[in-house]
Amino acid sequence: MIKGLTVLSISFLLGMWLGDLLGSLFGLSSNVGGVGFAMVFLILAKAYLSHKGYWKEEWESGVDFWNKLYIPVVIAMAASLNVKSAVNSGLLAVFAGIIPVIIAFVVLKLLIQKSSLKS
C-alpha cells in the first residue's frame, strides 16, 4: 500500500510543480492543470511499472485508498464553490442548480422502483 501511495504522491508533486510552472509561464498566479498533469503522470507511471513488472496488486490499494478519499473531497469542494457562485449570481443560477438535482432524484427513484419490479 505504501508504495502505491509513494507513486501517487510523486505523481501529485510532479503535476503540481508542472501546473505551477505553466501558470508562471502564462503570467498567472495560479496552478494551471496541476491535478490533470498529476493524473496523467499517475497513469503513465502505472502503465510503465506494470509493463516492467514492478506494479504489484497491493500497490493498487494505496491508490484506491486516496481515490476513495479524494473524489468525495473534490466533489464537496466543487459543490461549495458552485453554491457560493450561484448565490452571488442570482436566483436564475440557483434554480439552474436546484432543478437538475430534483430531476435527478426523481429519475433515480423511478429507476430504483423499476429495477425492484424486475427482480
Side-chain angles (χ1 to χ4, degrees):
M1 180 173 169
I2 196 72
K3 291 177 183 174
L5 285 174
T6 303
V7 173
L8 180 69
S9 301
I10 291 171
S11 300
F12 177 76
L13 290 174
L14 284 174
M16 288 295 119
W17 174 77
L18 188 59
D20 285 339
L21 180 68
L22 202 59
S24 66
L25 287 176
F26 289 139
L28 303 171
S29 61
S30 64
N31 188 305
V32 178
V35 173
F37 287 125
M39 293 174 85
V40 169
F41 286 137
L42 179 62
I43 291 169
L44 292 176
K46 183 182 177 190
Y48 176 77
L49 292 172
S50 294
H51 179 71
K52 292 290 182 180
Y54 296 126
W55 188 266
K56 306 291 182 210
E57 194 165 314
E58 68 250 14
W59 292 24
E60 193 77 28
S61 63
V63 176
D64 280 345
F65 169 73
W66 277 108
N67 187 24
K68 290 174 183 167
L69 185 67
Y70 178 74
I71 290 175
V73 168
V74 168
I75 290 173
M77 288 172 54
S80 67
L81 289 176
N82 288 341
V83 169
K84 287 177 188 173
S85 297
V87 169
N88 291 334
S89 299
L91 282 178
L92 181 61
V94 172
F95 287 128
I98 290 174
I99 291 172
V101 171
I102 291 171
I103 292 171
F105 282 138
V106 170
V107 169
L108 182 65
K109 184 176 181 178
L110 291 174
L111 288 174
I112 290 172
Q113 288 175 348
K114 189 174 182 177
S115 68
S116 65
L117 288 177
K118 286 184 177 179
S119 58

